[in-house]
Amino acid sequence: MADRDDTPRPREVDQLQELLDRVGEDEDRKDRLLQIAALDRETYTDLMDLYQRQAAQVVSKDVFYPYEAIPGTFRIGTDPDGQPIGLTHDQLNEHLLLVGMTGSGKTTFFYNLMDTCAAMDLPYMVFDFKNDYRHLAAEQDLLVINWRDFKFNPLQPPPGVQPGKWGEILADTFAHATDLLIGSESYFLEQLRLLYSLYDADTATEHWPSVFELRDLVAADEITKASPKFKYKERVASRLSMMTGFSGDIFDCSTGYPLADLLERNVIFELKEPNQYVTNFVVEALLTWIFYYRDAHSQRQELRHLIMFDEAKRVFDVNRGRQPASGYPPIDDLVGKVREFGEGLIVGDHEPSKLTDSLKANTNAKLWLTLGSGTDITEMARTFGLERDETDFTRTMEKGEALFKLADREPVPIHLPDYTVEKTLTEADIRARMENELAALESQARSRPDRFTEYLGIHEEDRTDDTAAVGEVAETLLASVIEAPFLSMAKRYDAIDVDSKKGTQAKNELLTLGLVREVEVATGTPGRNPKLLELTAEGRTVLEDRDYDVEDTGRRGIEHRYWQQQIADYYADRGFTTETEFSIGTQRIDVYAVQGNEAVAIEVARSPEHEVDNIKKCLDYDVNQVQVAYLEEHVKDRIESAVREDLGHIPGRVEFMPVSSFT
């Protein structure tokens, strides 16, 4: 397969043209250089280096002179004259947007701000999608909560908020976070109201239903395919299935950790591993919970708490805000409101052009670090209100340099302080360090009142003390999950020789008993997303107690294994010898395919984490080609960026391919 990275992309050639324009290169020579650069990446890179140096001599910080004084308690840097630049409590309470490409210094900025907050006894909360901030626990009093240990029940309203009101708020939040439209949102709210009534939630209750109970209630809803509501049910059920899948332990509780208490501490939520829908929902639901908790208790005062996170477009995605059918994003509305309750937002991203206008309009302070994309530079120039020569200055900024602006002030070039931290704490280290502190946080396991179980047709007396009393058809269906894990539901029913009605009843029984989870695999092709069943820990126990041989799949979820098998089958059909989980010493390659002298290593990239190490591992094994199979473009873009940052370029043997190439 051809290497698609030996020539620069059109947008990269456009960036070179901008540099040639800026230094005033002759038109004929400019045309010749652009033609040559477009044919060869090495030539393009050399020309970019040459003209970036020339451009840096053309533009100077003097375009912003004299520098406006911006003193403040929260010092963030110094201007070119060495004068400190900082923010007051009030200014920080009006939110700060931080933009910059990978490696420009965003993480360092967060380190310094966290250090300043700790020194001033201002509690903060960090949503960490890269596991970058745990290392500060060696220097600060930090509570680091890895997602595997986090207990959060979004169905439990904040104290002082009525369940009926919270249900409407949560339905709106869930729909936005999981890309559901108005019809599906209405169905979600209808089922949530029913669930609250089965738990007597309108009266004082100590036991709240969880996302798992909502999933089971939706699964038990008998709607004919002819009904317009059937599609709504299917969409809601698929989203709830994702929520209770690999990442579902977060929501596996009746009452979660006391969030009101956590607002008084410095807390980091590590959310690197869960899938994007789960992560988005957790972040949006927590932000919403905090706002309505503050509102219910009239906690209006000056700055009292900060919330920080990078990758802001996870929550403030401009594309979702432009879908009329999905309604106005509720999280955008909160940005302008939380400040009156003393909550300041510090959010960052490397692609400001993909952020909502609402976020950019509602952040009083903005910090612009180096950006790589011309589109993003243009967007920030519009946001800052810069002239051409002022915009040109930003192209010369290096790591740790930025342009800072308050809404009512002129921009000021600043230098950000460095921060040295030893990144030595592993996930096992931090979880062990936090174990006792987390054990002291109160939470309650899920419980199901009689009214709920009776509604679903399952009675407590029908269960044994340790393992569920599984019906004959349901046990056969359960066993088929280990025998043929990648069958769609229709094919699975055929395989165990039952009709759709009996098969669905058996499936719902297993879902309700918590023995399986239903996972919809996103293929990127509309109408071709198979629904698979995956064993839970309880399901494994039931089968093992019945002497079934259950394979240990480790931490590999059903979606990951599905794509491994699809890719292996693809190469096997073309005459390759294939092996999944191919062992190379203590490491493994997702799929290894060999035919004659040609060896291909394929890594399945459902998220960008760990993929640079995976690529380097495959390159070290000296295969002919390393293929990175990705599901979403933004995942591919982030991996490409990380590879370039780590290796300086994307090796010719590395190719990025959508998973649809293997179907």
Side-chain angles (χ1 to χ4, degrees):
M1 300 183 185
D3 181 359
R4 294 180 291 193
D5 199 51
D6 54 0
T7 59
R9 297 175 181 175
R11 64 178 176 82
E12 294 177 306
V13 177
D14 289 343
Q15 291 173 9
L16 176 59
Q17 183 173 352
E18 290 178 6
L19 288 175
L20 295 172
D21 290 340
R22 197 179 318 143
V23 301
E25 191 61 80
D26 174 80
E27 286 295 324
D28 291 338
R29 176 172 170 77
K30 182 173 67 175
D31 290 342
R32 290 197 302 273
L33 292 174
L34 290 173
Q35 290 174 7
I36 296 171
L39 298 175
D40 179 69
R41 175 163 291 281
E42 186 174 351
T43 301
Y44 165 79
T45 302
D46 290 343
L47 288 171
M48 283 294 290
D49 289 343
L50 172 63
Y51 282 97
Q52 281 174 338
R53 288 195 297 271
Q54 292 187 24
Q57 298 171 7
V58 174
V59 186
S60 111
K61 301 179 180 65
D62 290 343
V63 296
F64 299 102
Y65 191 83
Y67 311 120
E68 186 158 0
I70 309 179
T73 309
F74 292 89
R75 181 172 174 178
I76 60 174
T78 54
D79 69 16
D81 288 338
Q83 298 302 308
I85 299 292
L87 291 168
T88 65
H89 280 68
D90 288 343
Q91 290 165 343
L92 201 57
N93 190 47
E94 293 177 334
H95 314 320
L96 182 146
L97 174 63
L98 171 70
V99 300
M101 63 190 293
T102 301
S104 61
K106 293 195 304 297
T107 301
T108 301
F109 173 83
F110 281 115
Y111 284 154
N112 279 298
L113 182 58
M114 292 162 66
D115 212 28
T116 302
C117 290
M120 295 187 173
D121 292 326
L122 176 66
Y124 59 80
M125 178 181 292
V126 179
F127 295 111
D128 186 359
F129 307 123
K130 297 180 292 184
N131 292 353
D132 277 336
Y133 301 100
R134 63 169 64 141
H135 310 288
L136 294 185
E139 305 173 10
Q140 295 184 21
D141 179 18
L142 276 178
L143 178 64
V144 182
I145 307 178
N146 185 268
W147 72 273
R148 290 179 174 81
D149 305 312
F150 186 30
K151 293 300 177 188
F152 173 49
N153 183 4
L155 274 58
Q156 179 187 3
V161 179
Q162 292 300 313
K165 178 182 178 181
W166 181 246
E168 294 176 358
I169 295 164
L170 186 66
D172 207 12
T173 302
F174 185 84
H176 178 249
T178 62
D179 296 330
L180 288 176
L181 302 183
I182 296 297
S184 299
E185 178 182 339
S186 298
Y187 177 80
F188 177 94
L189 179 56
E190 172 190 307
Q191 294 297 302
L192 181 55
R193 284 170 172 163
L194 173 58
L195 184 60
Y196 278 152
S197 71
L198 293 172
Y199 272 72
D200 290 324
D202 286 333
T203 62
T205 179
E206 295 180 359
H207 303 287
W208 293 96
S210 76
V211 176
F212 288 83
E213 281 70 49
L214 184 58
R215 175 203 65 189
D216 294 346
L217 190 67
V218 169
D221 190 17
E222 296 183 358
I223 302 176
T224 64
K225 289 188 177 181
S227 170
K229 290 176 63 174
F230 182 79
K231 287 296 184 184
Y232 301 149
K233 172 189 170 179
E234 288 285 286
R235 294 182 184 118
V236 171
S238 70
R239 302 304 196 273
L240 292 172
S241 178
M242 283 189 290
M243 292 294 162
T244 54
F246 172 65
S247 313
D249 285 352
I250 296 174
F251 309 118
D252 190 9
C253 58
S254 174
T255 60
Y257 290 159
L259 296 179
D261 293 345
L262 297 186
L263 292 175
E264 304 300 323
R265 303 187 60 176
N266 298 331
V267 180
I268 294 174
F269 292 113
E270 294 193 329
L271 298 168
K272 182 176 182 178
E273 298 293 344
N275 73 54
Q276 186 165 339
Y277 276 129
V278 172
T279 302
N280 288 0
F281 179 53
V282 167
V283 174
E284 293 193 34
L286 280 171
L287 290 174
T288 304
W289 191 100
I290 291 169
F291 169 75
Y292 283 96
Y293 169 75
R294 298 284 198 206
D295 185 31
H297 293 268
S298 299
Q299 295 182 346
R300 290 174 169 84
Q301 64 173 52
E302 63 180 19
L303 183 66
R304 63 192 303 156
H305 185 254
L306 286 184
I307 299 172
M308 313 180 198
F309 57 95
D310 203 347
E311 299 187 34
K313 64 178 171 291
R314 286 175 175 263
V315 177
F316 303 100
D317 184 347
V318 68
N319 293 316
R320 281 190 282 175
R322 292 171 178 168
Q323 297 176 10
S326 62
Y328 184 75
I331 198 69
D332 276 2
D333 189 44
L334 287 184
V335 177
K337 293 179 177 179
V338 293
R339 64 182 61 174
E340 68 177 286
F341 297 99
E343 287 286 348
L345 296 179
I346 315 296
V347 295
D349 205 276
H350 67 285
E351 294 180 293
S353 60
K354 295 183 179 179
L355 299 176
T356 63
D357 290 337
S358 174
L359 178 65
K360 284 172 273 197
N362 281 291
T363 45
N364 177 47
K366 295 176 179 66
L367 200 58
W368 175 354
L369 286 77
T370 303
L371 288 168
S373 163
T375 301
D376 290 322
I377 291 172
T378 300
E379 174 61 20
M380 289 311 296
R382 181 187 68 83
T383 302
F384 270 55
L386 299 189
E387 301 294 334
R388 173 64 182 270
D389 55 346
E390 295 173 324
T391 303
D392 286 344
F393 161 73
T394 67
R395 304 176 197 273
T396 70
M397 295 188 303
E398 299 181 354
K399 181 178 179 180
E401 294 181 338
L403 194 62
F404 177 68
K405 185 176 185 346
L406 291 175
D408 58 347
R409 307 285 185 89
E410 293 297 317
V412 178
I414 69 170
H415 180 78
L416 303 174
D418 198 3
Y419 194 101
T420 303
V421 59
E422 292 188 17
K423 297 185 177 182
T424 57
L425 290 175
T426 65
E427 181 176 298
D429 292 336
I430 198 64
R431 292 181 70 194
R433 182 183 287 227
M434 297 295 149
E435 185 176 4
N436 290 337
E437 289 198 62
L438 294 177
L441 298 177
E442 294 184 1
S443 64
Q444 288 186 349
R446 289 192 291 127
S447 63
R448 299 186 168 196
D450 290 342
R451 286 186 65 192
F452 177 78
T453 56
E454 287 168 3
Y455 185 88
L456 295 185
I458 300 169
H459 303 276
E460 291 298 327
E461 58 266 25
D462 293 332
R463 303 185 183 189
T464 61
D465 290 338
D466 49 358
T467 61
V470 185
E472 182 178 349
V473 176
E475 181 175 338
T476 304
L477 183 65
L478 188 64
S480 75
V481 176
I482 58 174
E483 296 164 359
F486 307 119
L487 289 180
S488 66
M489 296 315 305
K491 291 181 179 179
R492 190 173 298 284
Y493 297 155
D494 288 342
I496 64 173
D497 197 24
V498 297
D499 59 31
S500 177
K501 182 177 180 180
K502 287 184 179 179
T504 301
Q505 288 174 341
K507 180 192 74 173
N508 288 341
E509 181 181 344
L510 297 178
L511 287 171
T512 303
L513 293 170
L515 304 184
V516 296
R517 54 178 67 95
E518 190 173 20
V519 178
E520 181 175 5
V521 178
T523 63
T525 305
R528 295 183 58 188
N529 294 342
K531 291 183 179 179
L532 309 179
L533 293 182
E534 181 176 26
L535 288 179
T536 64
E538 292 82 0
R540 293 175 59 87
T541 299
V542 168
L543 288 175
E544 289 169 349
D545 288 347
R546 287 158 172 74
D547 295 325
Y548 287 92
D549 186 13
V550 185
E551 177 189 5
D552 183 7
T553 58
R555 289 175 51 193
R556 290 172 293 126
I558 188 69
E559 292 177 89
H560 189 95
R561 291 186 288 123
Y562 171 85
W563 287 116
Q564 283 181 292
Q565 192 60 50
Q566 286 288 113
I567 294 167
D569 291 345
Y570 171 90
Y571 275 102
D573 290 343
R574 287 156 179 75
F576 283 74
T577 300
T578 64
E579 183 176 342
T580 61
E581 293 297 312
F582 180 75
S583 177
I584 51 172
T586 60
Q587 298 178 305
R588 295 180 183 275
I589 295 174
D590 279 344
V591 183
Y592 185 67
V594 181
Q595 185 181 56
N597 294 325
E598 183 180 2
V600 183
I602 306 97
E603 290 291 332
V604 179
R606 293 188 58 250
S607 69
E609 282 69 48
H610 311 302
E611 291 308 323
V612 174
D613 290 339
N614 286 337
I615 290 170
K616 291 162 68 175
K617 164 192 68 184
C618 295
L619 290 172
D620 290 344
Y621 196 63
D622 201 26
V623 295
N624 299 90
Q625 191 171 43
V626 179
Q627 293 176 350
V628 181
Y630 64 90
L631 182 61
E632 298 174 289
E633 284 290 332
H634 77 90
V635 170
K636 180 199 71 169
D637 292 344
R638 289 174 59 195
I639 297 171
E640 284 184 329
S641 176
V643 171
R644 286 195 178 93
E645 181 179 355
D646 191 280
L647 301 180
H649 69 293
I650 296 182
R653 286 188 289 155
V654 176
E655 183 172 16
F656 291 83
M657 302 180 64
V659 291
S660 57
S661 304
F662 302 100
T663 56

